Structure formats: C-alpha cells, structure tokens
Amino acid sequence: MLIPFSMKNCFQLLCNLKVPAAGFKNIVKSGLILQSISNDVYHNLAVEDWIHDHMNLEGKPVLFLWRNSPSVVIGRHQNPWQECNLNLMREEGVKLARRRSGGGTVYHDIGNINLTFFTTKKKYDRMENLKLVVRALKAVQPHLDVQATERFDLLLDGQFKISGTASKIGRNAAYHHCTLLCSTDGTFLSSLLKSPYQGIRSNATASTPALVRNLMEKDPTLTCEVVINAVATEYAASHQIDNHIHLINPTDETVFPGINSKARELQTWEWIYGKTPKFSVDTSFTVLHEQSHLEIKVFIDVKNGRIEVCNIEAPDHWLPLEICDQLNSSFIGSKFCPIETTVLTSILHRTYPGDDELHSKWNILCEKIKGIM
Amino acid sequence: MTLQEVRSLRAEVGSLCAISAPSAPCSLRPWGLRAGAFWVLRTGPALLSVRKFTEKHEWVTTENGIGTVGISNFAQEALGDVVYCSLPEVGTKLNKQKEFGALESVKAASELYSPLSGEVTEISKALAENPGLVNKSCYEDGFSRGRSGGLVFPSLSEFFTVYCDPHSQRLWHSQ
C-alpha cells in the first residue's frame, strides 16, 4: 500500500535522533520501507548516503526501493574505462555513476529494481536479505527456481544472474544493496558493459561478467510493480511492521537536509572519474600517410583521472620529435577526457598559427587519442 | 629473551599507514623501511604495550613520534580477502576518528578510521600493489610512516593495550 509521505511524518521519521522516542512509536515500530519517486541515479544514491550518515538504525532497519533511468553504475574502486563503453554511453545519453559501495559494474534502467537494506553494523547480514528476496519472489511464483550464491548473487534456474550485490560498512551503520532484473534491456546492457579500450593496466577491482536474464522473461507476471510489492510485503512480515511503502522525494531538503549537495558531489568529474585508481594505458593506433600506415604508440599514466605521464611516439618523418614532445607535455596535468583533449588541440594550434599541415596531423592524433578516452 | 629484538615478520600482519604527530621542532628521523619490514619487540608488559588497539580494530604503534597504523588480525579475518586498499596520499592531514581510506573485500567497502591525528609521511607501496597483504601480513606491510615530532600522542591512553586483547596475545605468541 502506497502512502504519500507528509512533511510532518518525514521529519519525525527521518530526524529520529532529535525526536523523543514516544513520537516514533506511533509511526515506526521496528522498520521502515521507503520508495523513491525519482529515477535519477545521483539523487537516489544520495538518499543512500543520507540515510547512512543521518539515521539511527538501532532497532529500526530501513528498506529503500529505487529505480533509475538508463545508467551504468561502477563500484567504489573501479575503472570506468575498463568496465564500460564510455563512447557509446555518451552517444546514447546513458549516465555514469560511481557508488560508494564496493563490487562490480551494473546497468540500471527502469526495468531493474534496486533494493537497499540499511541496518546497524551488528545486524549486517547479506544472506538474510537475499533469502528475504527469494521468499518474496516465491510468494508470487512458488515454482520459481531462484537461489542465492556464495558471491551473494541471485541465480535463476541455476545459471542466470538476476541480481548482484554490493555493500558499504561504516562506523556504526552498514548497507547492503542489490539489483533485481525484471524487464531490463538485455541487449543494450551487454553492449554498454563491454569496454572497447585496449591496453589498460590497473589494479582497480574488476567486474565478474555473468549471463543475465530478466524475471519477466521467465514469468510475465513478475513485473517491477509486482516484485516491489512482494519484497515490501515480505520485509514487513519479517520485521513485524505495517506493510506501507512510503514514497519519498530525494530532492526535498526539508525532509533530507543537505541531500542536494550529496547528489551534486556524486555528479562531479572528480568523484566519477577522478576516484579511479591509478592506471596506465599502453596501446597503439595507425594513421594513414601517403598510402602507408604509420604506427603511433601511446603510453599514458593516469592518476586521479589526470594524465601524469604522456608518451606519444610517432615516426619522426611524420611528426618532428620536438613537436611530438610539445604535444606530450601539453597533456600532462590535464584530465583524461575527450572534451579536455579538444580544448588542448585548439590551444596547440595557436602556438603554430598558419601551419596547416601540422594542424591537420595534430587533429588526426587528437581524434585517435580521444577515441581511447 | 632480549628486551629489544628486531625481527622480520612473516606471519599475518600488515600495517596501513603511519601518522606523525603535529610537528615539533625535532629533526626528522624516519623509520627505515626495509624489505619485509620489522618491528621492535620487548618482553613483559612493556613489550605488550607497544601495540595499541582501538575498539574498531585499528592498531597503532609509535616510536619517536612516528605512528604506524594497521588493522588487527581479527578484522582482516572478518573482512575476508581484501581486493583493494584505498590509502591517503603522503602529506594528507588526518584527524582522529575520521575516515581516511577504505578496504574492499567480497564486494563490501569498509571505511577505515584514523586512531590518531597527524600527517601521513609514507604509505606502503607493497599494499597498494598487493592488497592481499592485509590478510597475509596485517601487522607488517602496507603502512605509512609518520614524521618524528617528539610528541606523545595524548590519546594513547584511550586505546586498549595489546595485553588486554586476546587476539593479539595469541598473535604475539605465535611468533
């Protein structure tokens, strides 16, 4: 049963550190179920941060349900260049987000449900949460073959992954979140989560690719709405609370003071790309010159998303060494980013005005380099 | 047993970062980092008070104002295989009880809290390249050194001593 959240209720529920216990007993017994009205991945991730930082979860665990418009979400210590096709994402308008929990890369769209289980650190138990989800699904479809694995995945028919898990453990609180594929675009998912970038050397945590399937492909009654209600019902039963899903607006500062600044931080280049663990790119590409193919070697070291070392090696007869050196040094300190590279190219042009042949070569090189960013 | 003994450690120990006290006008005396690392052992209660533990399973040792920080054997066992270690940069100023990094294990990112205030002067390259050292060697590799400041950390008295912690006692005797 969906109940729109009144402001007054929100404050009492969400600022429970300040309100006397008596004020809660009427509303929150020993748990809370929230669902976001937003499909913005950054705002929804900000809700997780906010609950983790501000809510007292002792005896009052929270279940948060959310869905996003097309987005790729990478884990805290991952490398987006290694994990997904950034060029395709830019073309298709798919957002990239880095979450604060660990784990691998996932694709979200409106056919995927995200579930976040907030508890105190002591009550953190991923397997228990997954068993709850399995019970919920079986309540809708008793013959469904769904099982949790040791890796905390959920497998359908013993082979298809329908859910992946990640979590974050803080000082006193922890959260475990997982996906649940109901009706996601599987073809799009596969193409987005395949990185075309070669030669990346990094110790970032890597994803474990898996064969996925949607619940709706197995059983058309398992729509997102049905599954959300089933999970909420099972959560309510397990925690002995009322089966009420409280809708929340993740941009409402009166309910979640400070949340918009959390959402903004999650959208910054420094967080999304800058938090990538140090990595190096060792690759090459060819350029056409007078009917022959010249090999250009590229060695780039990237730290905090910025180029620390840049060695682009081109044959001297095509691009004089000192010009090449100039190109290399101009990259140092700039973001490993195609937009920034475009800006750099135009700055370089101005250092050698009128030299059209050189400009054309620089343009060719920079287009190729942008292709690896 | 001798009062002071330097041994290279092979069992399950690894430290995470060393923190210096706020600076005092003392000459720098960085603790030499050798392959395999080492610590100073003493017998009796004096020995056991060298390593102090917080209730959140971070530990710290100090010498000449240089602190070395890590996580306990209990913590690394609870975490499981560590796959990534996110440590602060050299020069970062840390505040006691504030988050300074994270460990990732089995898809869970666990925050690390600094037991001391000070400035990071060295971090273990070994740990950055091989985060599994947190499991294999939680008291040795993977630390950063602090600058000698000649100050006694006022908060040391708040920590549990090694003597009180049954896990570290067991560890001590296993050497």
Side-chain angles (χ1 to χ4, degrees):
Chain A
M1 194 169 124
L2 290 166
I3 294 180
F5 230 24
S6 77
M7 299 282 222
K8 188 162 175 257
N9 284 348
C10 285
F11 247 132
Q12 285 176 319
L13 272 151
L14 295 164
C15 303
N16 61 6
L17 286 164
K18 297 178 185 124
V19 178
F24 293 112
K25 278 178 188 157
N26 298 331
I27 303 157
V28 179
K29 295 194 179 88
S30 55
L32 189 60
I33 306 172
L34 304 175
Q35 184 175 346
S36 176
I37 62 169
S38 166
N39 295 327
D40 180 276
V41 63
Y42 307 113
H43 285 124
N44 288 327
L45 286 171
V47 173
E48 285 188 324
D49 285 349
W50 195 97
I51 295 176
H52 182 72
D53 291 347
H54 297 290
M55 281 188 74
N56 178 6
L57 299 159
E58 191 70 51
K60 294 187 185 74
V62 174
L63 171 66
F64 175 45
L65 301 155
W66 42 298
R67 290 192 281 165
N68 296 320
S69 59
S71 318
V72 169
V73 183
I74 58 175
R76 174 68 180 83
H77 303 119
Q78 292 206 291
N79 180 326
W81 289 277
Q82 250 181 344
E83 296 294 334
C84 51
N85 190 334
L86 293 170
N87 288 329
L88 182 61
M89 285 166 63
R90 287 176 198 125
E91 279 165 39
E92 299 289 331
V94 175
K95 295 176 188 170
L96 176 66
R98 179 187 298 271
R99 56 180 191 266
R100 296 194 191 272
S101 57
T105 299
V106 285
Y107 169 66
H108 292 181
D109 67 16
I110 213 68
N112 167 69
I113 305 167
N114 297 301
L115 313 165
T116 311
F117 297 86
F118 293 91
T119 57
T120 55
K121 216 154 129 174
K122 288 199 206 103
K123 294 279 186 178
Y124 168 73
D125 190 337
R126 290 170 288 187
M127 201 47 87
E128 190 187 296
N129 300 333
L130 292 174
K131 285 182 179 161
L132 189 154
V133 176
V134 171
R135 285 198 305 273
L137 292 172
K138 288 200 165 152
V140 180
Q141 182 47 267
H143 301 295
L144 205 63
D145 176 6
V146 183
Q147 286 166 330
T149 68
E150 279 174 353
R151 279 189 79 243
F152 307 105
D153 290 341
L154 284 181
L155 289 185
L156 179 66
D157 295 338
Q159 50 175 315
F160 300 107
K161 183 171 168 178
I162 56 164
S163 167
T165 272
S167 49
K168 176 165 165 186
I169 303 172
R171 197 153 193 87
N172 300 305
Y175 62 78
H176 159 217
H177 53 200
C178 60
T179 53
L180 201 47
L181 292 172
C182 287
S183 54
T184 296
D185 184 342
T187 318
F188 201 30
L189 183 158
S190 305
S191 58
L192 288 168
L193 298 188
K194 205 194 316 246
S195 165
Y197 306 106
Q198 304 289 316
I200 296 179
R201 235 191 8 235
S202 151
N203 64 355
T205 54
S207 298
T208 307
L211 218 55
V212 297
R213 198 135 187 255
N214 283 307
L215 282 167
M216 266 188 80
E217 286 168 44
K218 181 78 188 174
D219 182 345
T221 62
L222 293 168
T223 62
C224 282
E225 287 72 23
V226 164
V227 172
I228 286 172
N229 284 323
V231 172
T233 304
E234 186 58 46
Y235 189 87
S238 305
H239 293 83
Q240 292 167 335
I241 57 170
D242 294 334
N243 186 5
H244 294 159
I245 300 178
H246 300 272
L247 294 179
I248 57 153
N249 178 353
T251 59
D252 192 339
E253 285 275 337
T254 57
V255 176
F256 305 100
I259 197 170
N260 286 302
S261 106
K262 285 186 190 292
R264 273 194 300 274
E265 201 206 321
L266 288 164
Q267 293 178 67
T268 60
W269 188 93
E270 281 67 30
W271 173 256
I272 298 175
Y273 295 98
K275 284 294 181 194
T276 306
K278 195 162 108 165
F279 67 99
S280 61
V281 179
D282 179 352
T283 188
S284 63
F285 44 75
T286 56
V287 296
L288 193 60
H289 176 66
E290 289 170 3
Q291 284 148 14
S292 69
H293 290 275
L294 303 175
E295 195 195 23
I296 316 277
K297 292 194 186 149
V298 177
F299 304 98
I300 297 179
D301 279 358
V302 182
K303 188 174 163 189
N304 299 326
R306 287 181 185 269
I307 297 173
E308 247 193 354
V309 171
C310 184
N311 282 325
I312 299 165
E313 286 178 12
D316 189 57
H317 67 268
W318 185 72
L319 197 68
L321 201 60
E322 65 268 18
I323 306 277
C324 207
D325 283 347
Q326 196 160 4
L327 181 70
N328 281 324
S329 34
S330 72
F331 272 114
I332 310 269
S334 70
K335 290 178 184 170
F336 190 66
C337 160
I339 298 169
E340 194 128 317
T341 302
T342 306
V343 170
L344 270 173
T345 317
S346 44
I347 293 172
L348 278 169
H349 284 341
R350 276 180 252 139
T351 60
Y352 288 86
D355 191 338
D356 290 341
E357 197 194 328
L358 179 61
H359 289 185
S360 144
K361 286 177 183 172
W362 259 338
N363 285 341
I364 293 167
L365 260 184
C366 287
E367 280 308 301
K368 293 278 187 178
I369 290 164
K370 277 157 67 176
I372 64 167
M373 291 175 166
Chain B
M1 240 202 269
T2 53
L3 266 178
Q4 255 192 350
E5 187 182 348
V6 170
R7 291 163 67 174
S8 66
L9 181 64
R10 299 182 66 87
E12 60 268 326
V13 282
S15 55
L16 289 168
C17 68
I19 303 163
S20 69
S23 60
C26 272
S27 59
L28 285 171
R29 289 190 49 204
W31 201 345
L33 222 175
R34 295 187 213 149
F38 59 90
W39 72 47
V40 174
L41 301 182
R42 296 183 185 87
T43 51
L47 169 69
L48 297 172
S49 69
V50 163
R51 191 184 307 276
K52 306 253 181 182
F53 286 79
T54 71
E55 58 180 17
K56 301 289 180 187
H57 298 286
E58 293 105 5
W59 61 262
V60 64
T61 61
T62 58
E63 179 152 322
N64 299 321
I66 301 165
T68 306
V69 177
I71 62 164
S72 69
N73 186 47
F74 180 81
Q76 69 81 12
E77 272 178 1
L79 278 173
D81 289 341
V82 174
V83 297
Y84 192 80
C85 189
S86 165
L87 294 176
E89 302 250 317
V90 169
T92 310
K93 301 252 188 325
L94 299 182
N95 290 314
K96 188 178 157 184
Q97 289 185 7
K98 292 289 181 217
E99 186 192 336
F100 71 83
L103 290 178
E104 185 170 338
S105 64
V106 203
K107 302 185 282 185
S110 301
E111 286 167 2
L112 295 168
Y113 299 93
S114 177
L116 301 166
S117 298
E119 182 186 316
V120 177
T121 60
E122 193 183 323
I123 55 170
S124 167
K125 290 192 175 60
L127 199 66
E129 274 147 38
N130 185 2
L133 282 172
V134 174
N135 301 110
K136 292 195 271 276
S137 184
C138 67
Y139 293 119
E140 181 172 287
D141 297 304
F143 54 86
S144 58
R145 302 270 182 210
R147 204 174 50 224
S148 168
L151 285 183
V152 174
F153 293 113
S155 50
L156 275 181
S157 56
E158 298 169 41
F159 296 162
F160 303 138
T161 62
V162 168
Y163 183 75
C164 299
D165 186 320
H167 297 287
S168 54
Q169 252 197 332
R170 184 193 63 197
L171 193 76
W172 222 243
H173 292 309
S174 73
Q175 296 315 306

